[in-house]
């Protein structure tokens, strides 16, 4: 039995934030029914297409383990089908623009009338307030949530990160909210609304930067490189380059081959507890006791020199050799892995974090599997659905349409161009 087996999710999401959430729930065993516009579907099906005639990787990699139904919710028969779906499902997930559900005739009040136990989960750009009607995409969320202002180097502009913390990060937050609401509904019999604004999700992931904002009132942030460089702090948490955020000095350093390989680098942390081992590894044993180097506070104004010396050593080793030497000594290091290296990593493939998936129109492709492993609910990643692939199956097996009633729905135009023979 899967962890969420028996839970039905009515998935009105599109692009990335919502589909990230519903894909995770599908991996845990929920029956995710993706509702798509007839003949069009999720916009990402046709975005960044690399194989003509096939759904894009943008779509396939965010919609595994789901079923697809085409449905025109503006059609009267379509509204009837949607009403039945709301009656039948446990959760509705949407990332429409504010007010879209109301305009469709399915306000929260109406949804509660249809199914009092329904959980309505929503992704929005901003929470209630002056920006709540603004359109938000990934990088906008990063900028509004404090990530961009604290990412980059002190003398450069704000930067967004390559990780999709605004979209996919919010989807993960929403999934947790849904599971929590399901647990509560099992006890109370009542549904509720779950809201995950993208700005809020990014702020949550930037928690340590808000920590540092408050610490500024007590003086400079001594673990930041700019302190050791004698650069004055301003009123807000600054950009800190590749400094470690946990109080232990750390930097990205060149490794052997950096001249031709853009990812021949390692992250190296000079953790206080292993300082003596660091000194031995890089060939500076006298630094263990030398005045100005022996204790962490003494080293703060010498970080450029110290990391310069460590880099002289790392440049003689590959990033993997640095790991092999440092890890047995408990010196915290990590190679800068390229996306190609990640996709080919045997360990990640063994755990199911990287998987191959076969698709009838695009062939085999590589995707990211479930990042959370449950010992009693293992995940098998199955391909994303073709547009409307399960329309008849859902109408018949989930909603109970058959015979004449099924034929009427098909003929109404509410569910796209369904093969009438399949509906017989």
């Amino acid at each position: 039995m899967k962890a969420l087996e028996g839970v039905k999710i009515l998935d009105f999401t599109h692009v990335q934030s919502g589909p990230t959430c519903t894909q995770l729930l599908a991996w845990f065993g929920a029956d995710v029914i993706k509702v798509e516009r007839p003949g069009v579907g999720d916009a990402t099906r046709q975005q960044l297409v690399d194989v003509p005639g096939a759904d894009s990787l943008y779509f396939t990699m965010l919609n595994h383990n789901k079923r697809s139904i085409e449905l025109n919710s503006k059609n009267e028969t379509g509204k009837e089908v949607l009403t039945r779906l709301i009656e039948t499902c446990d959760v509705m997930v949407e990332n429409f623009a504010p007010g879209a559900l109301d305009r469709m005739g399915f306000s929260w009040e109406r949804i509660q009338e249809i199914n009092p136990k329904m959980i309505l989960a929503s992704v929005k750009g901003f929470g209630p307030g002056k920006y709540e009607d603004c359109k938000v995409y990934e990088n906008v969320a990063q900028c509004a949530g404090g990530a961009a202002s604290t990412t980059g180097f002190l003398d450069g502009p704000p930067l967004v990160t390559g990780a999709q913390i605004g979209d996919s990060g919010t989807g993960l937050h929403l999934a947790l909210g849904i599971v929590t609401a399901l647990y509560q509904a099992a006890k109370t019999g009542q549904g509720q609304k779950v809201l995950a604004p993208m700005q809020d999700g990014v702020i949550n992931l930037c928690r340590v930067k808000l920590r540092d904002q408050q610490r500024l009132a007590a003086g400079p942030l001594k673990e930041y490189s700019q302190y050791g460089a004698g650069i004055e702090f301003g009123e807000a948490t600054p950009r800190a380059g590749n400094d470690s955020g946990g109080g232990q000095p750390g930097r990205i350093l060149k490794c052997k081959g950096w001249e031709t390989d853009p990812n021949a680098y390692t992250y190296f942390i000079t953790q206080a507890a292993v300082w003596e081992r660091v000194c031995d590894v890089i060939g500076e044993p006298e630094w263990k006791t030398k005045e100005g180097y022996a204790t962490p506070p003494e080293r703060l104004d010498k970080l450029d020199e110290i990391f310069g010396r460590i880099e002289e050593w790392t440049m003689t080793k590959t990033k993997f050799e640095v790991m092999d030497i440092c890890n047995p000594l408990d010196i915290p290091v990590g190679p800068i892995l390229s996306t190609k290296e990640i996709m080919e990593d045997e360990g990640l493939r063994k755990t199911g974090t990287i998987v191959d998936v076969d698709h009838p129109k695009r062939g085999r492709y590589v995707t990211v599997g479930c990042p959370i492993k449950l010992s009693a609910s293992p995940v098998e990643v199955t391909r994303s659905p073709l547009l409307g692939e399960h329309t008849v199956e859902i109408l018949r097996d989930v909603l109970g349409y058959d015979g004449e009633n099924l034929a009427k729905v098909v003929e109404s135009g509410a569910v796209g161009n369904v093969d009438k023979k399949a509906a017989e």
Side-chain angles (χ1 to χ4, degrees), residues 322-340:
V322 171
M323 275 197 78
D324 291 341
I325 293 168
C326 292
N327 279 349
L329 300 173
D330 286 333
I331 299 172
V333 298
I336 308 305
L337 295 180
S338 69
T339 49
K340 183 176 184 295

Side-chain angles (χ1 to χ4, degrees), residues 279-298:
C279 295
D280 288 334
V281 163
I282 65 173
E284 297 290 348
E286 69 279 4
W287 281 2
K288 290 188 272 187
T289 56
K290 185 177 180 181
E291 185 178 353
Y293 294 82
T295 66
E298 290 179 288

Side-chain angles (χ1 to χ4, degrees), residues 3 8 20-21 28 36 42 46 79 107 116 143 157 167 197 213 231 252-253 255 263-264 304 322 336 351 372 374 410:
K8 286 186 168 55
T20 295
C21 166
F28 290 148
E36 302 188 74
D42 189 317
Q46 296 304 314
K79 288 183 184 295
S107 64
C143 292
D167 275 321
Q213 176 63 43
I231 300 173
I252 289 179
L253 306 176
C255 291
N263 294 299
D304 286 345
V322 171
I336 308 305
T351 61
I372 303 166
L374 301 184
V410 171

Side-chain angles (χ1 to χ4, degrees), residues 230-257:
I231 300 173
E232 189 175 342
F233 284 78
E235 295 181 346
T237 305
R239 291 184 277 285
N242 291 315
D243 287 351
S244 171
Q248 303 284 349
R251 297 207 185 158
I252 289 179
L253 306 176
K254 296 172 184 174
C255 291
K256 188 176 182 179

